[in-house]
């Protein structure tokens, strides 16, 4: 009997699905459905129904990937987190501007922590932690705890965890369970991001489970990690931070799989972000620095992916210099919201008769309540804010909203927090609308796209054709710059390089690469890798970007659902570590092996090293088998960090279906 697998990817705008024949490696059917953020199950069920899964199909595995975690971090819409730093030097953290790297503003410092030998630096502030959680419990959705040198001794994190759980039911995350890296800032940021995503991941996986159950699909459920490998959904619920780059990593795996190309630069353009990853010898290149989204660096091993907040649903705006800006905010396209709300379409079309004097871009921006507000949130609002919230239960034109509430600018409403949390959403002009105008898309209300674009152009006194070309050129320019930076940094110290091309000479050279108009000098940037385009907008922008860097462009069949393909075309992988470090005092000198919360001392370094390598190998293999891998292969890597030696074991195997060759090459 032929066996099939289902891949699902839930993005910011679309939920994609594929039905794949496991033996033939062929996509049987593919489908897209709008992501229903208010109830993810609706979008998942719709896409599964569109796949036309026959009753006699033997579904052996369901794999899921999602850009929801990535988008939550990139857009600042993750849940509120209270971060406890134990044994950290507050003055030092603030002096060097490290607070910005911790992904949350709600940071509290407590005495405690350990030193580089795992010895207690100072007693833990138990009473202050107890008092803190009693006072702050209602201000957060989750709590993260990070103690200094907790990978060598997690005792203070564990005690803080126990104290906090005595007084609250909020999710509590300990940094040592997510990372054994000694970078205290990255470890704390990792814990904070993980805490902010627990509820997001729980909602997502529950929606998928309910959808499968409703359709009578009984198969193992796995989710893609940020490095493109797969893990059980139960693990993903506990460690959602490991899925932060799940969507982009799945896209890289899926793009490679569909293009049958072992080495390439895979660029995935979606609604909210554009992500790029490098595939070498059929494996996604992994970042040694840890996953990075926006300005937040983590300790999570993930594909080396560069994420930029530019997509087809990015807000289009001008800066004070009258230069076009794309993003970083994601908004709903006007053509899409008009398709579902007749009143919006009518109001926008009525603007055709507007005089030049009264033109206002707030006339083509709409706000609406995406999620009902709880009583506590409503009580914290003032009268004007409550009135505004009541008005936007249905999409409301922003200019009318401000007039009715009695303010002259949206900032006067002070509702930015609810927008960041995703409780209020905005609709405005986006590249998706312009693609409807240019004929590149035909999904939603094209007439509204035309009217809104013309109104925007008239407001700024620009020609529609020139405006559209300028927006599209700007998107391509941004992507090309990111490709150049990403490829250039592959054999450079990524952390020490600027996030964009800076300096007068650098900007001049970039402009010559993008728009050469010099009569005396030619400057080119040539990629040594072909470019594989994935995502629905890929055909509109990435071919031009590839041409600019002189790269072969590949747009494989089913490229628009590459993320969903990647959700079931990877391998199961588990990583476990053992750390060897020196512990000494006046009486004793020993080598300590730290593994899975346990410690073991040895008199000789070689004995400690042999034990660490073997225990890491054993733990990785056991974890891979538990995760659903068959006959996993284990590699052990040894890394030295000062006086500390890290033994990293990676176990990789096929998903547990039967004795067949892996879908992955």
């Amino acid at each position: 009997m032929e066996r099939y697998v289902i891949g699902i990817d839930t993005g910011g705008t679309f939920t994609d699905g594929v039905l794949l024949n496991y033996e033939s490696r062929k996509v049987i059917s593919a489908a897209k459905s709008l992501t229903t953020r208010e109830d993810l199950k609706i979008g998942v069920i719709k896409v599964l129904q569109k796949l036309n899964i026959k009753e006699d199909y033997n579904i052996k595995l369901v794999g899921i990937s999602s850009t929801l975690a990535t988008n939550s971090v990139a857009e600042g819409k993750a849940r509120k987190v209270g971060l406890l730093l134990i044994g950290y030097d507050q003055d030092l953290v603030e002096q060097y501007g490290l607070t910005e790297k911790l992904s949350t503003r709600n940071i509290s410092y407590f005495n405690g922590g350990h030193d580089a030998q795992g010895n207690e630096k100072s007693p833990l502030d138990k009473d202050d932690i107890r008092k803190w959680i009693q006072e702050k419990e209602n201000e957060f959705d989750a709590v993260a705890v990070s103690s200094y040198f907790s990978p060598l001794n997690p005792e203070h994190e564990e005690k803080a965890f126990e104290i906090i759980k005595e007084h609250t039911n909020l999710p509590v995350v300990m940094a040592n369970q997510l990372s054994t890296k000694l970078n205290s800032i990255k470890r704390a940021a990792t814990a904070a991001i993980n805490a902010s995503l627990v509820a997001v991941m729980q909602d997502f996986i529950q929606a998928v489970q309910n959808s499968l159950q409703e359709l009578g699909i009984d198969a193992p459920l796995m989710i893609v990690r940020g490095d493109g490998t797969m893990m059980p959904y139960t693990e993903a619920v506990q460690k959602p931070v490991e899925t932060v780059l799940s969507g982009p990593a799945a896209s890289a795996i899926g793009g490679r799989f569909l293009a049958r190309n072992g080495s390439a630069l895979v660029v995935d353009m979606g609604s909210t972000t554009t992500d790029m990853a490098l595939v070498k010898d059929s494996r996604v290149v992994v970042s040694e620095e840890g996953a990075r989204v926006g300005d937040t660096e983590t300790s999570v091993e993930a594909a080396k992916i560069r994420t930029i907040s530019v997509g087809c649903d990015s807000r289009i705006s001008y800066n004070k210099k009258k230069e076009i800006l794309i993003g970083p905010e994601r908004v709903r396209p006007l053509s899409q919201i008009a398709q579902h709300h007749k009143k919006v379409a009518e109001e926008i079309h009525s603007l055709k008769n507007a005089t030049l004097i009264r033109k206002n871009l707030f006339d083509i921006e709409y706000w609406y309540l995406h999620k009902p507000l709880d009583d506590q949130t409503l009580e914290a609002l003032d009268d004007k804010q409550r009135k505004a919230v009541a008005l936007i239960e249905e999409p409301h034109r922003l200019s009318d909203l401000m007039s009715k509430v009695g303010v002259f600018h949206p900032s006067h409403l002070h509702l930015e927090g609810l927008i960041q949390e995703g409780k209020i959403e905005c609709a405005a002009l986006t590249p998706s609308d312009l693609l409807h105008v240019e004929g590149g898309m035909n999904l939603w209300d094209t007439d509204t796209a035309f009217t809104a674009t013309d109104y925007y152009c008239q407001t700024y006194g620009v020609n529609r054709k020139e405006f559209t070309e300028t927006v599209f050129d700007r998107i391509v320019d941004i992507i090309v710059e990111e490709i150049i930076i990403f490829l250039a940094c592959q054999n450079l110290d990524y952390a020490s390089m600027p996030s964009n091309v800076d300096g007068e000479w650098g900007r001049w050279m970039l402009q010559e690469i993008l728009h050469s108009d010099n009569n005396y000098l030619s400057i080119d940037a040539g990629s040594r890798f072909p470019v594989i385009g994935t995502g629905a907008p890929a055909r509109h922008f990435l071919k031009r970007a590839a041409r600019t860097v002189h790269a072969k462009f590949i747009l494989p069949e089913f490229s628009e659902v590459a993320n969903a393909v990647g959700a079931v075309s990877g391998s199961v992988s588990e990583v476990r570590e053992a750390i060897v470090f020196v512990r000494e005092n006046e009486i004793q000198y020993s080598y300590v092996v730290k593994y899975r919360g346990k410690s073991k001392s040895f008199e000789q370094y070689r004995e400690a090293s042999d034990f660490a390598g073997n225990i890491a190998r054993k733990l990785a293999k056991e974890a891979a088998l538990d995760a659903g891998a068959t006959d996993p292969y284990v590699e052990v890597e040894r890394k030295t960090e000062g006086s500390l030696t890290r033994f990293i074991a990676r176990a990789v195997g096929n998903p547990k279906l039967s004795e067949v060759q892996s879908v992955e090459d």
Side-chain angles (χ1 to χ4, degrees):
M1 179 182 291
E2 290 188 315
R3 289 159 305 161
Y4 298 85
V5 292
I6 295 171
I8 301 169
D9 174 76
T10 299
T13 301
F14 288 104
T15 294
D16 300 339
V18 294
L19 177 65
L20 194 73
N21 185 308
Y22 199 77
E23 279 82 11
S24 69
R25 298 160 50 93
K26 290 183 178 179
V27 175
I28 305 302
S29 61
K32 292 176 99 52
S33 176
L34 282 174
T35 295
T36 47
R37 293 190 175 192
E38 65 281 359
D39 186 351
L40 296 174
K41 186 180 77 170
I42 297 172
V44 173
I45 286 180
K46 282 184 178 179
V47 84
L48 287 171
Q49 290 172 334
K50 289 181 180 180
L51 291 177
N52 296 320
I53 304 167
K54 297 179 181 178
E55 290 184 6
D56 60 342
Y57 283 174
N58 191 11
I59 306 299
K60 285 293 186 179
L61 174 71
V62 176
I64 58 177
S65 72
S66 177
T67 58
L68 288 180
T70 308
N71 293 346
S72 295
V73 176
E75 296 177 349
K77 293 183 178 179
R79 307 296 168 86
K80 288 183 180 179
V81 173
L83 175 61
L84 277 72
L85 299 182
I86 300 172
Y88 285 64
D89 188 324
Q90 182 174 355
D91 292 336
L92 205 61
V93 171
E94 294 175 352
Q95 179 183 346
Y96 286 94
L98 300 177
T99 304
E100 303 296 325
K101 297 180 179 292
L102 292 173
S103 81
T104 179
R105 300 284 186 180
N106 306 309
I107 305 167
S108 299
Y109 296 82
F110 297 91
N111 291 332
H114 294 78
D115 60 22
Q117 296 182 356
N119 298 315
E120 186 177 77
K121 188 171 64 172
S122 63
L124 180 65
D125 241 341
K126 296 180 184 178
D127 292 338
D128 284 353
I129 291 174
R130 186 173 290 106
K131 181 180 178 182
W132 177 87
I133 190 59
Q134 290 172 339
E135 293 177 352
K136 302 284 187 178
E137 177 185 4
N138 296 324
E139 296 182 16
F140 314 122
D141 300 310
V143 177
V145 183
S146 182
S147 179
Y148 215 62
F149 278 112
S150 62
L152 304 185
N153 193 332
E155 181 183 6
H156 285 184
E157 281 187 13
E158 292 169 351
K159 287 183 178 179
F161 176 90
E162 293 172 2
I163 293 170
I164 295 168
K165 292 304 289 183
E166 287 175 7
H167 298 279
T168 181
N169 292 320
L170 293 176
V172 184
V173 172
M174 290 187 288
N176 78 87
Q177 293 185 337
L178 299 168
S179 172
T180 61
K181 302 285 178 67
L182 296 185
N183 187 314
S184 60
I185 297 299
K186 281 189 179 182
R187 193 169 65 253
T190 303
I193 291 177
N194 194 79
S196 73
L197 295 174
V198 168
V200 175
M201 186 55 63
Q202 285 176 335
D203 291 346
F204 174 57
I205 290 179
Q206 188 65 56
V208 175
Q209 287 180 311
N210 291 344
S211 304
L212 295 173
Q213 186 177 9
E214 198 164 310
L215 295 176
I217 298 172
D218 184 16
L221 179 62
M222 305 197 81
I223 190 164
V224 178
R225 277 194 183 91
D227 63 358
T229 61
M230 304 167 74
M231 64 176 170
Y233 77 90
T234 49
E235 189 175 346
V237 170
Q238 298 299 321
K239 299 180 179 180
V241 69
E242 294 192 5
T243 73
V244 161
L245 297 178
S246 168
S251 179
I253 291 289
R256 185 217 62 79
F257 176 85
L258 292 169
R260 301 291 191 265
N261 198 309
S263 297
L265 173 66
V266 183
V267 183
D268 177 45
M269 189 170 185
S271 302
T272 308
T273 62
T274 296
D275 311 295
M276 52 193 72
L278 197 63
V279 178
K280 293 177 70 175
D281 301 324
S282 297
R283 296 182 67 177
V284 178
V285 175
V286 173
S287 170
E288 294 184 1
E289 299 298 324
R292 176 174 179 165
V293 179
D295 295 327
T296 303
E297 299 176 353
T298 74
S299 298
V300 176
E301 184 177 84
K304 186 182 282 187
I305 289 173
R306 189 165 178 91
T307 298
I308 52 174
S309 298
V310 171
C312 260
D313 289 353
S314 296
R315 182 191 286 273
I316 299 172
S317 60
Y318 279 94
N319 62 15
K320 292 180 179 179
K321 297 179 181 179
K322 292 195 174 180
E323 298 169 328
I324 288 286
L325 300 179
I326 311 296
E329 181 188 1
R330 175 195 173 275
V331 292
R332 190 173 179 183
L334 291 169
S335 54
Q336 186 192 74
I337 195 171
Q339 178 85 5
H340 301 284
H341 296 275
K342 185 178 178 181
K343 181 186 174 185
V344 172
E346 291 173 348
E347 287 179 345
I348 291 177
H349 287 301
S350 71
L351 296 173
K352 291 179 180 179
N353 301 320
T355 62
L356 185 61
I357 297 175
R358 68 168 296 274
K359 287 188 184 296
N360 182 346
L361 289 184
F362 295 143
D363 289 339
I364 54 170
E365 178 166 346
Y366 283 78
W367 286 15
Y368 59 98
L369 198 60
H370 175 59
K371 295 180 180 178
L373 303 185
D374 55 58
D375 293 340
Q376 183 180 344
T377 303
L378 282 171
E379 288 175 5
L381 301 179
D382 60 32
D383 291 340
K384 286 186 176 181
Q385 290 173 325
R386 287 197 194 95
K387 185 175 181 180
V389 167
L391 289 168
I392 60 174
E393 289 187 0
E394 292 292 327
H396 212 91
R397 181 156 48 185
L398 184 53
S399 56
D400 293 343
L401 178 66
M402 292 189 301
S403 176
K404 292 175 182 177
V405 178
V407 297
F408 297 101
H409 193 273
S411 61
H412 298 159
L413 289 170
H414 302 293
L415 291 173
E416 296 85 356
L418 295 181
I419 293 174
Q420 285 187 346
E421 293 170 20
K423 294 175 180 176
I424 294 176
E425 290 210 336
C426 307
L429 195 69
T430 69
S432 290
D433 295 311
L434 300 191
L435 284 171
H436 279 78
V437 171
E438 290 295 296
M441 288 178 70
N442 189 27
L443 295 175
W444 305 310
D445 189 334
T446 300
D447 289 340
T448 295
F450 266 99
T451 304
T453 302
D454 285 344
Y455 190 83
Y456 197 99
C457 291
Q458 290 163 14
T459 303
Y460 279 103
V462 294
N463 175 275
R464 182 212 296 162
K465 187 173 186 300
E466 291 178 359
F467 171 71
T468 303
E469 289 177 353
T470 302
V471 170
F472 290 171
D473 288 347
R474 180 63 188 137
I475 293 172
V476 172
D477 288 355
I478 292 171
I479 293 172
V480 171
E481 180 178 356
E482 296 297 326
I483 288 175
I484 292 172
I485 294 171
F486 184 66
L487 292 179
C489 286
Q490 291 302 311
N491 56 358
L492 297 174
D493 181 3
Y494 186 88
S496 67
M497 296 298 289
S499 59
N500 56 9
V501 177
D502 61 358
E504 290 187 22
W505 277 107
R507 297 306 301 177
W508 176 80
M509 288 184 181
L510 178 63
Q511 286 306 308
E512 286 301 310
I513 292 170
L514 296 172
H515 312 287
S516 179
D517 59 359
N518 193 300
N519 295 326
Y520 306 97
L521 184 65
S522 173
I523 297 178
D524 285 321
S527 169
R528 299 185 187 277
F529 287 79
V531 173
I532 297 174
T534 64
R539 65 181 71 249
H540 305 295
F541 302 103
L542 298 185
K543 185 175 183 179
R544 287 177 55 193
R547 187 167 61 238
T548 304
V549 294
H550 305 286
K552 178 184 177 182
F553 180 63
I554 304 170
L555 187 69
E557 186 180 11
F558 299 109
S559 62
E560 67 279 4
V561 290
N563 291 38
V565 173
V568 283
S569 57
S571 302
V572 178
S573 175
E574 289 291 331
V575 176
R576 294 295 183 269
E577 294 187 5
I579 300 173
V580 179
F581 64 97
V582 179
R583 178 173 289 168
E584 58 181 311
N585 53 41
E586 296 177 356
I587 304 173
Q588 190 177 16
Y589 183 94
S590 62
Y591 294 94
V592 179
V593 179
K594 194 78 179 177
Y595 64 98
R596 203 175 60 180
K598 299 179 181 179
S599 297
K600 189 168 184 177
S601 297
F602 296 85
E603 292 184 0
Q604 301 296 323
Y605 176 74
R606 183 169 181 176
E607 291 179 347
S609 296
D610 289 345
F611 177 80
N614 290 332
I615 195 66
R617 180 185 295 274
K618 178 176 180 290
L619 293 175
K621 186 171 184 177
E622 289 175 352
L625 290 170
D626 290 343
T630 58
D631 193 23
Y633 170 73
V634 186
E635 294 178 325
V636 180
E637 183 181 9
R638 176 174 173 168
K639 289 186 177 181
T640 302
E641 300 176 11
S643 61
L644 178 149
T645 306
R646 192 183 300 277
F647 292 82
I648 307 165
R650 181 186 302 275
V652 182
N654 298 338
K656 195 172 186 178
L657 299 181
S658 61
E659 296 75 26
V660 295
Q661 181 180 356
S662 172
V663 175
E664 183 68 42
D665 281 347

